[in-house]
């Protein structure tokens, strides 16, 4: 597999799931390369820490368009991805 780029929202349930996946080399940890992005540094296992992005990960909901307004979160992630040069 190629390079995977998940976003970790930071709640403990997701952190625990990623730690389990790392321990068992499952999901993204079976890929050739990966970086995990979050709004805070989280250690998921030996040598695996999240990459911190400049976003609070908060989104709004626009009932008029039935849309989650999350574009700025993804822009922050992709700015970090492109600045790393690991794609």
């Amino acid at each position: 597999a190629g390079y995977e780029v998940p976003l970790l929202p930071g709640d403990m349930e997701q952190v625990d799931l990623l730690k389990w996946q790392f321990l068992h080399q499952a999901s993204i940890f079976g890929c050739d390369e990966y970086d995990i992005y979050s709004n805070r540094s989280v250690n998921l296992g030996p040598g695996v820490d999240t990459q911190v992005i400049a976003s609070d990960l908060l989104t709004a909901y626009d009932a008029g368009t039935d849309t989650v307004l999350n574009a700025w979160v993804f822009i922050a992630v992709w700015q970090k991805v492109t600045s790393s040069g690991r794609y």
Side-chain angles (χ1 to χ4, degrees), residues 15-81:
V15 171
D16 290 343
L17 174 61
L18 281 171
K19 285 181 176 183
W20 184 92
Q21 289 173 339
F22 175 75
L23 181 65
H24 294 89
Q25 292 298 288
S27 188
I28 64 162
F29 300 105
C31 295
D32 297 331
E33 292 189 60
Y34 51 83
D35 280 316
I36 302 154
Y37 294 87
S38 184
N39 63 333
R40 63 189 175 98
S41 181
V42 178
N43 179 267
L44 300 171
V48 180
D49 294 293
T50 58
Q51 303 294 314
V52 179
I53 61 169
S55 173
D56 58 13
L57 304 183
L58 297 177
T59 60
Y61 175 73
D62 183 343
T65 60
D66 196 28
T67 305
V68 176
L69 306 174
N70 59 1
W72 291 112
V73 172
F74 289 98
I75 289 169
V77 170
W78 286 107
Q79 285 175 334
K80 187 78 171 190
V81 169

